[in-house]
Structure formats: structure tokens, C-alpha cells
Amino acid sequence: MSEPAWSLHSRLKEDTIDIGDLPLSKVLVIKDAHYPWLLLVPRRADAVEIIDLDEVQQAQLMTEISRVSRALKEMTGCDKLNIAALGNLVPQLHVHVIARRTSDAAWPRPVWGVMQPLAHDATEVQTFISALRRKIWLG
């Protein structure tokens, strides 16, 4: 029996900009200019929780989280990274990587629900994505 085809959940597709693929995960930028905020979504159709991945996939996910986190921290000089596999509204496994500053409006609380999302400036977000791609895939 073949594995079901993977596709990005509609809510994640609506709320993000696709920036590329790592061996296991799709890497996305959240459409909220308040924070440098990335998602990693393992391309496994049946993955709802990290424990749904086998041990090799779990190790690969951790490698990818570390790679993306390191790139984001180096690019932003943030004070803290928030890394979490959350999402009750979206059943698809996805991991948030958010660069935080002690001066941000939500600090030290979570970022969800504090402010309405702020649209990215098109030029700024493309510059950020280009730099992030270089850092993650070449850096």
C-alpha cells in the first residue's frame, strides 16, 4: 500500500510564504512582520505529532530545526529563540521557530493573540528570505 500524498494544510498555506525544502521539511515564513518567524513542516502526510515520525526522521527534524534556528539567530541577533511544535487548529505537524527580543511588544509572553498580524513590506520580506535562503542552504 502506498503512502498518502503530502500537501501543506490550507491554513498554513494561507498564513505563510514558502522559502524552500530541506531533506525532510518545508521551510516557511509566517506572514507577520512583528517577528522573524519560521515554520518547519515535515513532508509526511500522516504526521500530527513528532512521535509519528520514526527515529531517523525525528533526528533529521532536530537537525533541520537546529540549522534553521542557527541561521535565524545569526541573522537577527535575537535575545531568545522560541521553538515549539504547537497548533491545535492545524493538525499537521509543524514546528515554530521565532526570533524574540526583550523589547518586543509581547515579551516575555507568547506571541499569539497579542497583536493583529502586520503585513510584510514586499521588498523587506524578499530581502529577508533571500538572506535566509543563503544562510540555511549555503551557510
Side-chain angles (χ1 to χ4, degrees), residues 3-24:
E3 191 172 307
W6 181 87
S7 64
L8 186 61
H9 188 279
S10 60
R11 176 90 185 249
L12 296 180
K13 193 179 292 186
E14 177 183 314
D15 292 344
T16 62
I17 301 165
D18 185 345
I19 64 169
D21 291 327
L22 291 170
L24 177 65

Side-chain angles (χ1 to χ4, degrees), residues 106-121:
W107 187 267
R109 298 174 313 280
V111 297
W112 291 271
V114 174
M115 297 175 281
Q116 289 297 314
L118 176 65
H120 287 285
D121 173 82

